Each structure stands twice: as C-alpha cells, then as structure tokens.
Amino acid sequence: MTEHNNLPIALTRFIGREKEIAEVKRLLTSPSSPTPSLSPVAQFSDRREGGGKGVGVRLLTLTGSGGCGKTRLAIQVADSLRDKFPDGVWLIELGSLADSALVSQTVASVFDLRQAGKLAPIDLLKNFLRAKNVLLVLDNCEHLIHACAQLAESLLTSCPDLKILATSREALNIAGESLYRVPSLTLPPTQDLPALDILAQYESIHLFVERADAIAPRFELTRDNAPFIAQICQRVDGIPLAIELAAARVKMLTVAQIAARLDNVFRLLTRGSINAMPRQQTLRATMDWSFDLLSEPERILFRRLAVFAGGFTLDQAEVICAGDGLHADDMLDVLADLVDKSLVSVFKYEEGAAARYRMLETIRQYASEKMTEAGEAYSLRARHLDFFLQVAEETEPKHEGSGANQRMNHLHVEYDNLRVALKTAHALGLVEPGLRLASALGEFWETVGYLSEARATCRALLSLSVESRSQLGVARVRVLNLAGYWAILQGDYAEAHQLLEESTALAEEIEDDVSVARSLKYRSFAALTQGDNTAARALVEKSLAILRQLDDQPSIAISLTTLGLVVRDQGDYARARTLFEEALAIRRALNDRNAIASSLRDLGSTAQAQGDPIAEAWLESSLKMSQELNDQFEIPRCLHDLGLVAASRGDTEHAQKLFSQSLAIFQAQGDKRNTLKCIEGLAGTASANGRHERATRLLGAAEVLRETLGVPMLGMYRARHTVMIRNLHDRLESNRLAIVWAEGRAMSLEQAIQYAFGEAIEYDQVELAETRQAAKTKLDGLTARECEVAALIAVGKSNRAIAEVLVLSERTVEGYVGNILNKLGFNARTQIAAWAVQRGLVQPDKTLP
C-alpha cells in the first residue's frame, strides 16, 4: 500500500461521543499490568517496551444493537489514533461479504497481498503484519463471527505489535478479548425539559437538529418543537440510525406528525409494553415506520435496491430495478427521494466517475426482507446476474493493450456485485450463465491473486448437476481450463491433471476443435511447469495442428508462441526462433500491435539466450512499440530482458539500471512474481561486479519470499539459478555464506526491494541528488519538483516516505501527486512509475553492501 490509512472521509459531522472516544482510545493505548491468567493473545501485549507493562488492549470489540453507531465510533477513534500506529490504521468493511471463507482474503486485499501460489491468505497476512505496528478495524463482524474470531486469534498470536478494533452485535468470544458496549446517545429527561441551550447539548437532540437542518435548511430547535423532538429521540432509544431516519422526514412532516406516527408503530410492535422493547425491535419498528411513509414507487425501488452489494449506479438501477410499477424515466427522482430520506447514501470512488449509491447494511438487510415478501427475489437476482454477466464479459481484462488498467479498475469497483452474481448462479442453479461469468473473471482473478477463491467458485459451479454436461459446451471447457491452470500455479498438479483431462474429453465430446486445441495448450503448460518438456511439446504440437486445420490465425499465433517457449526451454533456440518469427508474421498480418510487441520480445529473449547481438535490436523495437501503446504488461518485461542482454555482454552498470527500472514498474503493479525475477537479476549483476555478499543477500531474500508467497521457481529458470548459487559457493567461505544468506532470508519483501534498489531505510542522499539533477528540466509540463516526486514514486516510495525525503508535509506531497496525475492524464500511481522510468528519472543503485 502507498498510504498509511484507508479511512473514509466523513460527509457529515460527527456528533457527541466525546466520553466514548476517550474511553476507547484509553483502552487501546494505555499501559496495563499483565494478568497471569491472560491468554497468549493478551500476553503478547506485554512483550514490548515499557518495562514489562502492557500497551493496552490487543483486541477491543465494540458491541451493541444495529444502528447504535459502532462503525462511526470505530472510524472516529481510528482516525484520532493515526499517529500512534506508524504502519497505519486500516478499515476492513465486512458488511457486504457473505462468505466466511473469504474473510482473510478480504483483509489481505486491503494490503494488496495477492495470492500468487499455495500460501493461504491468512499466512500472507501473518508474514506481512508480523513486524508491523498496525491497527485493524474489522467492521460488521456479526454475520461472520466465527471466521472473524479465528482471524483475530491467528493474527494476534503471530503479530506482537498488531491491535484490532472490531465492531459486532456480539462478542468474538476469544480469550484476551475486551468488550466495550456502545451506548445510545444521551437523552433528555422524559419530563420537565431543561432550557433550550441545555437541551441542545444532549447528543440525541444535537444529532436530530443537525441532520434535520441538512434536510430542511433553517430548521432549528424551538420551544414549540422541542417536546416532540425529545419524544422522538426517547422513543427510538437514542439509536443514531433511527434518529437520522426520523430527522429525514422533516421535509415531508412536522415533528409533531413524526412523533405521532412513530408512537403508533411502537405501540403496535410492543403491544403497549414500552419496557419490553428490545433495541433490535426498536430499530425494526423505525424501519417499518420509515417504509410505511414511502410512496409506492419509493417502496418498490427501496426493496429492489437490496439486490445490489457494495454499491450501484443510477444506470444499473434503471436496468435492473425498473418495471412492474416503476418506470425507468422516474428512477432518478425516486432515487433522489430515497437519498433525501437517508435510506440510500451517495458517494464517488474517484473524481470524474459516475456517482455510486449504496445502502447501509442494516437497511439493505431490511430491504431484502421486503423484496422477498413481495415475491421479487428470484426475478431480481436473475436480472442482476444477467446484467453483471454482461458487465464482466464486456470488461474482461486482457494483459495486452492500452486501457487494461481502466478495465481492471472497473471490475474492482463492481466486485461485490460480481460475487453476489456468482452466488446467485450457484444458488438458483443457473449453470450456464454462472460458468460464463466465472470464465469472464478469469484474468481478473489471476491478476489480483484471488486464486483460492477462484478455484472454490469454479468447483462449486462445475459440481452443479445438469441433464447433460455437453449441453454447457464451450463455457464448461473454459472454466475447466482456467481451474486447471490455477491449480498448476498453486502446485496442485493432481487436480490440474483431472480438470484438464475432463476439459479435453468434453471438448472432444462436443466436437469443438477450438476447445480441444485450447485444452491441449493448457495441458502443455502443466507438463512444462513439471519439467516434462517432451510431453509439453507433443501436446502443444497437437494443438497447433488442429488450429492450422481450422485456419484460426490468432490462436495459431498463440500456440506457436507456446511451442516456441517449450522448445526454447529444451535448448532448441533455432526452432524457437522460427516459431516466434512465424507468430510475428501472423500478428503483423492481423495488425495486432500489442501481440507484435510480444513476439518481438520473444525473439529478442531467444536471441539473447543464443548470444546473438541482434537480441538488443529486437528488444528495443518491442520496448519502443510497447511504450507507444502504453502497454504496461510488456514494458517491464522488455526492460528485464534488455537487462539480461546487457549483463551477458558484461555491461553490468546498464543491466543494473534496466533491472531496477523493471523492478520499479513490477513493484508499482503489485506483480510479486516478476518482482522476484528482477531481484534475482540484480543479484546476478552484483555477483558479476564482485559484490558477492550483496548477491547472496538478494538471493536469500528471493528464496524466502518465494516460500512466503507460495511461488515455486519454474523449471526453465532453475539451471541459471543453480549456476549463480554455485559461483557464490566458490567465492565465499561456507560459514560466511550461510550467515549472509540468513540475513537475506530475514528480509521482508519491502526490505528486499529497498535493498535491491540500493536503499537504506532513509533514502540515499547521493541518489537523491542524482534524481534531482535528472529532474532539473521540465518534462511533459511537469515542474522539476513534480518530476522529483514522480521519480520517488517509481522506486516505490509512499507519500509519507516522499515527504520525509523531501522534507515536505504529507498533504503537500498529496497535492503534487494529484498535479502529476492531472497533467499527464493518468489515473494511477503505476502509470506515473512507468512514465518516470521511460523518462530516465530512476537512477541505478550505487550502494555497496
């Protein structure tokens, strides 16, 4: 992550709660003496500084009824404690998550910990947080209580400086947990109301008046309305959500009318026994009352919006929710009414994007019940599935081509809805659309590292019974191939073999030759990763023969490339070169510029392995074309391969620069697999320069990071790696080699990257001076200071780190980053990093070990 918190910016002022904020902060930060009976979770807090004294509660759970303000209080506390946690405070919103198996992955995604191999998300989290001083805010745990409890206990027993602030309607019930029940807002007396200035200081009154003023400007507390406002606040037990819902009605009703209607509903629900009113029932009464006040079109839209998870746009609501009593042309006005009444909130993900709306989870659950009662659940969920299937198929990200980042971001935004759509397909037995949706999300799942979730989802869909599996045809074959491919990446070769064998058999059964060819290609990859080049070659050659008969030119080019990689790994460089040249000719005839750039890189890499001087020309051509296309997939790969060329001819300084540039982009993209490859490349240049201890540390770091991420080294890279290790054994005394290797293994990924760049914890001032020298001239409309900031982004610096290096405030750095994005027309830091590399602003490291 590049920031030290992800807390949302409040759109309304936080009212009251000074006492609760102070108490929760005290519990989280004040030293406390250890108790002998404490569990290992609690005892961890007594192992740090302070002469054996504790450093506050490790796990604090805010409990209370729905709508009592747990989330808002937790966020307010977290925001006030940012300076107490050097590695950040992070909010994990669990309200829209329905699957307890995804809790760890959801937390990991906040830190951009992408699953790239066999390691489970919980283990990625433990490895990442073990040495960090972090506050996690787990919001809305009640429907995932057991999974959240397991997560908290696992993390707290492994990460001594971690603290967790949870919100839940019930305790997590693990040893060492401390509870804080969030009370209702302070209420005025039921009789003999105080003077207005004193009455206004009660939190419930203050909240009602402020929210009512936002709905009806110039609304104020008066002698006439004060008794009714006090009655409303008392009847809803001071619950913030209920108060806000009531205040939203002042645009339509007087406070006297609101109080009267609310009173009638309460008597109906409690059968006249006020003392028997549980808070959940009170909130439900408020929701029932709020629903009864809606017009019929508002009621229809309100209940239908429950079909969305994680938010929606107006366009989406018009497509999915219109019809049967609600016209699409009226959608905007009706939605606006729901926003005015605090039943729907509006927010934006980024400037310039379409406005997105969402319901608070408590409200959405209530609306969902109304949707079911109206008999609309099946049809709406099916319509939701159809809509988001179309979104996924139209937005399916590809590595090649400009705009891939935008398409990927769009799927990120809609992922809660896409998850719900997949669950709908499984729950309703809609096999064919479910398989199509899983297939469309294939590239997305792999890119973001949700491999375990992807495989589990595919297993569930593939297990659904149908009259004839062959009826599902190509859709099932594609999902079998994807699931098999992900099994390969995670080292589960037995399952991969089973899935890919079924894929081939089904493709042959439906007599779809294209599907047969694709299945064979995936099986070829499985054989290649297991080191069986002979089988890999036979399978891909069979695939290629089928495609040639079909004259499917784009697929032929892909299979030619795959076969080229196989034979190159076998050492048959001449054959590989011929295959890559044929693929290039096809792609040129198709004018597929992104694929052309990829073929040029394949040719250059092959020539480099042969020691052919033409390698550099091929790779330079590929790099130039990729830069023109802004192809962020190919650019860093070209830079890496050019680094190999430079290293092979002994130009270690240039190789080091190229590996560093490639590393900067891969790091910005979160591509940990290729990040490791660049670290290993820099180890090679260090060894060639006689810096054997530095090379050893880098290789040790790479080794443990491969283990941590669950990313095995493919067979095609093992020989080169073995030679490098052997050279280090020859150059260093065995005891010293073991010590330095252990030092490397002790590094985190972040530390390894810093070391690979030649950085200490503080940015090397010589390098900073060189960066400033490179940034003296204005580039593409950026000032010298903005170029300097861009260069620091390219080497992986967060805004806070940049502020420390340049002696600026973090807010000032945020302004510079915003200016850079606007001037260059970018929308992501990864694009800034790539731009800085292309402009030569990133300097090679010059720090000796």
Side-chain angles (χ1 to χ4, degrees):
M1 302 296 294
T2 56
E3 303 293 340
H4 277 61
N5 79 87
N6 66 339
L7 301 179
I9 298 174
L11 300 180
T12 57
R13 194 159 66 92
F14 189 76
I15 304 297
R17 300 291 199 190
E18 289 85 3
K19 178 182 177 181
E20 290 83 74
I21 291 173
E23 180 64 8
V24 173
K25 288 175 64 176
R26 183 191 68 77
L27 289 170
L28 286 170
T29 60
S30 298
S32 58
S33 299
T35 303
S37 61
L38 288 179
S39 72
V41 174
Q43 290 174 5
F44 256 114
S45 64
D46 304 308
R47 294 173 57 185
R48 312 304 296 172
E49 59 191 24
K53 294 183 178 181
V55 290
V57 173
R58 297 287 311 287
L59 168 61
L60 180 62
T61 303
L62 305 183
T63 64
S65 61
C68 71
K70 302 182 292 294
T71 295
R72 193 73 187 269
L73 175 60
I75 292 173
Q76 195 74 12
V77 169
D79 186 68
S80 68
L81 290 176
R82 285 189 293 171
D83 62 334
K84 301 293 186 183
F85 294 89
D87 297 308
V89 293
W90 304 97
L91 173 66
I92 296 91
E93 297 175 305
L94 299 171
S96 62
L97 187 65
D99 190 345
S100 61
L102 301 179
V103 169
S104 295
Q105 177 179 291
T106 300
V107 179
S109 69
V110 170
F111 299 101
D112 199 24
L113 301 179
R114 306 180 184 189
Q115 193 176 14
K118 291 186 289 186
L119 211 64
I122 184 63
D123 296 314
L124 293 174
L125 276 169
K126 288 192 289 187
N127 290 333
F128 179 77
L129 294 173
R130 185 168 284 114
K132 287 184 167 53
N133 191 342
V134 164
L135 174 66
L136 292 185
V137 181
L138 301 180
D139 188 37
N140 287 317
C141 298
E142 54 271 1
H143 61 304
L144 304 165
I145 197 73
H146 297 299
C148 289
Q150 292 173 357
L151 172 81
E153 188 162 34
S154 182
L155 290 180
L156 290 171
T157 53
S158 301
C159 310
D161 289 324
L162 170 70
K163 292 192 177 185
I164 296 176
L165 178 61
T167 73
S168 176
R169 295 182 193 177
E170 61 181 303
L172 272 61
N173 285 321
I174 64 173
E177 177 184 26
S178 292
L179 301 180
Y180 184 88
R181 185 166 184 81
V182 178
S184 297
L185 299 177
T186 56
L187 291 165
T190 55
Q191 296 178 345
D192 300 323
L193 292 179
L196 291 181
D197 58 339
I198 297 176
L199 183 63
Q201 294 177 25
Y202 285 96
E203 293 172 338
S204 57
I205 301 293
H206 189 178
L207 177 63
F208 184 97
V209 172
E210 175 140 328
R211 297 299 187 258
D213 180 65
I215 296 294
R218 294 187 297 278
F219 181 93
E220 60 183 5
L221 184 67
T222 67
R223 289 182 181 277
D224 293 331
N225 66 21
F228 299 108
I229 296 174
Q231 183 183 357
I232 293 167
C233 292
Q234 290 157 357
R235 287 299 194 191
V236 300
D237 248 2
I239 296 175
L241 175 58
I243 291 172
E244 295 198 8
L245 290 169
R249 303 298 175 259
V250 299
K251 194 172 183 179
M252 301 168 55
L253 303 170
T254 67
V255 290
Q257 289 175 306
I258 294 172
R261 289 172 179 265
L262 185 60
D263 190 30
N264 289 334
V265 172
F266 280 168
R267 282 201 298 267
L268 175 64
L269 289 177
T270 62
R271 300 182 184 273
S273 177
I274 297 177
N275 292 330
M277 287 193 302
R279 290 185 177 180
Q280 180 59 40
Q281 190 175 24
T282 300
L283 182 59
R284 178 171 294 280
T286 306
M287 289 301 308
D288 284 337
W289 159 79
S290 179
F291 183 77
D292 289 341
L293 285 178
L294 298 178
S295 67
E296 186 59 24
E298 290 169 348
R299 291 184 187 183
I300 293 172
L301 180 58
F302 173 72
R303 67 179 182 244
R304 290 178 182 177
L305 290 177
V307 76
F308 294 104
F312 58 92
T313 66
L314 174 61
D315 291 344
Q316 292 168 353
E318 288 174 337
V319 173
I320 295 174
C321 300
D324 297 327
L326 182 62
H327 198 279
D329 292 342
D330 299 325
M331 191 70 65
L332 177 59
D333 290 338
V334 179
L335 181 58
D337 289 339
L338 293 178
V339 171
D340 287 343
K341 295 169 185 175
S342 298
L343 293 171
V344 174
S345 59
V346 59
F347 66 103
K348 290 185 177 180
Y349 270 88
E350 60 184 32
E351 191 65 30
R356 289 185 65 83
Y357 304 84
R358 63 181 170 190
M359 288 177 162
L360 294 175
E361 188 59 25
T362 302
I363 297 175
R364 192 178 79 88
Q365 292 172 8
Y366 178 89
S368 181
E369 293 179 6
K370 292 296 182 183
M371 178 176 65
T372 301
E373 289 173 7
E376 297 177 329
Y378 182 94
S379 61
L380 280 169
R381 287 170 180 157
R383 199 182 305 172
H384 178 274
L385 168 59
D386 289 341
F387 180 89
F388 283 99
L389 171 59
Q390 183 178 351
V391 168
E393 290 183 333
E394 291 178 351
T395 319
E396 183 180 358
K398 305 294 182 184
H399 284 314
E400 299 87 355
S402 59
N405 289 338
Q406 291 87 335
R407 294 194 296 271
M408 181 70 70
N409 289 339
H410 185 48
L411 290 182
H412 271 293
V413 169
E414 298 295 358
Y415 193 49
D416 282 332
N417 279 310
L418 292 163
R419 271 179 172 158
V420 167
L422 286 164
K423 289 186 177 299
T424 294
H426 184 261
L428 302 183
L430 301 174
V431 185
E432 193 266 347
L435 291 174
R436 284 172 54 198
L437 179 54
S439 176
L441 290 175
E443 293 278 2
F444 172 82
W445 274 327
E446 183 182 344
T447 301
V448 299
Y450 292 173
L451 299 185
S452 293
E453 178 185 356
R455 291 178 66 193
T457 300
C458 290
R459 281 194 206 102
L461 291 169
L462 291 167
S463 68
L464 291 174
S465 60
V466 292
E467 292 183 5
S468 172
R469 293 191 175 188
S470 62
Q471 292 178 349
L472 299 174
V474 176
R476 184 175 180 86
V477 171
R478 287 196 66 185
V479 173
L480 285 166
N481 283 334
L482 287 172
Y485 175 61
W486 295 324
I488 296 168
L489 294 182
Q490 293 194 304
D492 190 348
Y493 295 110
E495 181 168 320
H497 179 75
Q498 175 186 344
L499 291 166
L500 295 175
E501 287 285 350
E502 182 183 346
S503 170
T504 305
L506 178 57
E508 292 173 345
E509 180 182 342
I510 63 176
E511 298 182 347
D512 186 318
D513 290 338
V514 172
S515 294
V516 171
R518 288 174 178 169
S519 298
L520 291 170
K521 184 189 71 173
Y522 279 105
R523 289 174 60 191
S524 170
F525 178 74
L528 181 64
T529 56
Q530 291 181 277
D532 190 349
N533 286 355
T534 301
R537 184 166 184 167
L539 287 165
V540 74
E541 284 177 340
K542 185 176 179 181
S543 171
L544 181 58
I546 294 172
L547 292 170
R548 286 192 189 281
Q549 289 180 348
L550 297 171
D551 196 28
D552 183 344
Q553 293 298 304
S555 296
I556 289 172
I558 294 173
S559 287
L560 285 168
T561 299
T562 303
L563 181 56
L565 296 174
V566 172
V567 299
R568 186 174 70 184
D569 200 49
Q570 293 177 318
D572 190 348
Y573 298 118
R575 174 66 173 151
R577 187 165 177 170
T578 299
L579 292 164
F580 291 143
E581 286 174 345
E582 185 178 352
L584 175 61
I586 292 173
R587 287 166 170 172
R588 280 180 168 157
L590 295 170
N591 197 29
D592 186 344
R593 289 175 57 78
N594 293 99
I596 290 170
S598 178
S599 288
L600 290 171
R601 180 173 59 81
D602 289 330
L603 282 165
S605 300
T606 304
Q608 184 276 324
Q610 289 180 283
D612 190 332
I614 200 174
E616 190 164 22
W618 286 120
L619 291 170
E620 289 284 2
S621 295
S622 177
L623 178 61
K624 181 180 178 181
M625 184 174 292
S626 299
Q627 289 172 335
E628 291 172 353
L629 295 167
N630 192 29
D631 187 338
Q632 299 302 310
F633 180 81
E634 287 295 333
I635 288 171
R637 286 160 178 77
C638 290
L639 291 169
H640 173 270
D641 290 350
L642 282 166
L644 293 176
V645 172
S648 67
R649 67 167 183 251
D651 189 350
T652 55
E653 182 176 354
H654 188 50
Q656 183 175 297
K657 179 177 181 179
L658 291 165
F659 286 137
S660 297
Q661 290 174 338
S662 180
L663 174 60
I665 301 176
F666 284 133
Q667 181 198 15
Q669 292 176 341
D671 187 336
K672 296 179 177 63
R673 287 174 174 268
N674 282 301
T675 292
L676 290 172
K677 191 166 66 173
C678 292
I679 290 174
E680 289 162 348
L682 286 167
T685 61
S687 180
N689 286 333
R691 299 153 68 183
H692 304 301
E693 291 196 358
R694 178 177 181 81
T696 302
R697 288 190 188 94
L698 288 171
L699 290 176
E703 179 185 68
V704 75
L705 289 170
R706 284 191 180 278
E707 296 170 1
T708 301
L709 296 171
V711 180
M713 182 177 290
L714 296 179
M716 64 185 75
Y717 300 119
R718 286 180 190 148
R720 184 172 58 194
H721 184 76
T722 301
V723 170
M724 195 184 309
I725 297 297
R726 187 181 301 120
N727 289 339
L728 291 174
H729 275 282
D730 292 340
R731 301 292 182 176
L732 292 175
E733 191 269 334
S734 59
N735 288 340
R736 182 59 183 164
L737 178 66
I739 292 171
V740 177
W741 189 273
E743 291 173 353
R745 286 185 58 87
M747 292 181 180
S748 66
L749 176 59
E750 182 180 79
Q751 291 168 335
I753 291 171
Q754 288 179 334
Y755 188 68
F757 277 130
E759 295 177 294
I761 298 302
E762 295 297 326
Y763 193 83
D764 184 87
Q765 293 302 310
V766 174
E767 243 181 69
L768 175 60
E770 292 178 351
T771 299
R772 285 175 169 162
Q773 180 66 30
K776 274 186 177 180
T777 305
K778 296 180 180 180
L779 294 173
D780 297 342
L782 268 60
T783 66
R785 174 66 87 181
E786 288 165 350
C787 288
E788 196 170 273
V789 171
L792 293 172
I793 289 173
V795 295
K797 290 293 185 182
S798 67
N799 284 358
R800 178 174 294 185
I802 294 172
E804 292 172 356
V805 170
L806 300 179
V807 196
L808 299 170
S809 71
E810 190 169 352
R811 180 74 65 175
T812 300
V813 173
E814 289 174 359
Y816 280 126
V817 174
N819 289 342
I820 295 168
L821 291 170
N822 289 333
K823 288 182 179 181
L824 298 179
F826 295 158
N827 57 16
R829 292 172 74 93
T830 56
Q831 293 172 296
I832 297 176
W835 176 88
V837 170
Q838 293 166 19
R839 289 292 189 264
L841 295 182
V842 178
Q843 300 298 311
D845 93 83
K846 294 180 173 59
T847 305
L848 294 174

